[in-house]
Amino acid sequence: MRQCWEGYRKSAYLFIYYLIQFCGHSWILTNMTVRFFSFGKDSMVDTFYAIGLVMRVCQSISLLELLHIYIGIESNQLFPKFLQLTERIIILFGVITSQEEVQEKYVVCVLFIFWNLLDMVRYTYSMLSVIGTSYAVLTWLSQTLWMPIYPLCVLAEAFTIYQSLPYFELFGKNSTMLPFDISTYFPYVLKLYLMMLFIGMYFTYSHLYTERKDILRGSSVKQKKM
């Protein structure tokens, strides 16, 4: 009885978490779509000002997924998830939020579209999976959509970093002092991270592809049994 109650609480918590994320990303994508059809290309310039707060909240909350994996309420591998989340946190907070000139770039709008497309599908699939509901089309879409979009995300993230470098270098922002009187210049850190971004993409893509094969294989087996 106690195990059933704990399982129910776990499912209820995950369902609420996925629902909150789905609503947040749905609102962002809907807002961006309506603004684009209303104002055209001009809406892309102030995308961050319109939806930046909600985007930061959603990405901050997503760090809970590391805790979910660590305590065992969500089945996933910790390191690939860590790579995916830190990738977005660094770009969103370290590059875009900290530099107003970057916030007006078209690439920020494109990047946010990619992120939210992936997350809307992913959280919809996860939310329904928690309550034991699955649709073959949705399962296939959640395990396939990332294949073309994730590399585009990485390219957009890399281009965002590239466009931010002149501003960081011009204004000398984010130079920090580390222990032992070692000074770090943030543009150098970004250039190093720019190279690491593509290395991380290889590991993340490999993990997602392996996960995709396992999930689609399991889904096809369930359909045959039915």
Side-chain angles (χ1 to χ4, degrees), residues 195-212:
M195 294 184 291
M196 295 174 59
L197 194 62
F198 292 97
I199 299 174
M201 183 186 74
Y202 170 77
F203 287 105
T204 301
Y205 202 96
S206 299
H207 166 73
L208 291 176
Y209 185 75
T210 301
E211 185 179 67
R212 177 183 185 270

Side-chain angles (χ1 to χ4, degrees), residues 98-178:
S98 65
Q99 191 59 265
E100 292 185 8
E101 288 77 5
V102 179
Q103 296 168 11
E104 300 176 354
K105 301 296 184 182
Y106 287 155
V107 68
V108 173
C109 179
V110 174
L111 181 59
F112 284 180
I113 290 173
F114 288 154
W115 281 358
N116 284 281
L117 277 174
L118 289 176
D119 285 339
M120 275 188 60
V121 174
R122 179 168 69 92
Y123 286 120
T124 302
Y125 169 76
S126 299
M127 182 172 57
L128 294 177
S129 295
V130 167
I131 59 175
T133 302
S134 64
Y135 297 98
V137 174
L138 180 60
T139 300
W140 180 87
L141 185 63
S142 68
Q143 300 302 320
T144 306
L145 184 63
W146 62 266
M147 296 181 75
I149 292 184
Y150 177 64
L152 294 176
C153 283
V154 175
L155 288 176
E157 290 165 1
F159 192 64
T160 302
I161 293 175
Y162 174 77
Q163 288 197 314
S164 73
L165 288 174
Y167 299 106
F168 282 116
E169 292 171 349
L170 178 63
F171 298 113
K173 289 188 178 182
N174 290 309
S175 294
T176 59
M177 188 68 69
L178 295 176

Side-chain angles (χ1 to χ4, degrees), residues 33-103:
T33 303
V34 171
R35 285 171 50 79
F36 180 78
F37 282 108
S38 299
F39 305 108
K41 291 178 64 176
D42 293 338
S43 66
M44 300 177 70
V45 176
D46 60 352
T47 293
F48 185 83
Y49 301 101
I51 54 90
L53 176 61
V54 180
M55 176 65 79
R56 293 196 297 272
V57 170
C58 287
Q59 295 303 324
S60 298
I61 294 175
S62 69
L63 292 174
L64 286 172
E65 294 176 29
L66 296 176
L67 179 63
H68 296 167
I69 298 170
Y70 181 75
I71 64 178
I73 65 173
E74 189 174 344
S75 59
N76 211 324
Q77 295 186 28
L78 185 61
F79 184 66
K81 179 62 68 174
F82 173 79
L83 287 178
Q84 295 174 54
L85 293 179
T86 52
E87 179 182 305
R88 292 192 181 188
I89 293 296
I90 291 172
I91 298 298
L92 179 59
F93 289 94
V95 178
I96 299 175
T97 303
S98 65
Q99 191 59 265
E100 292 185 8
E101 288 77 5
V102 179
Q103 296 168 11

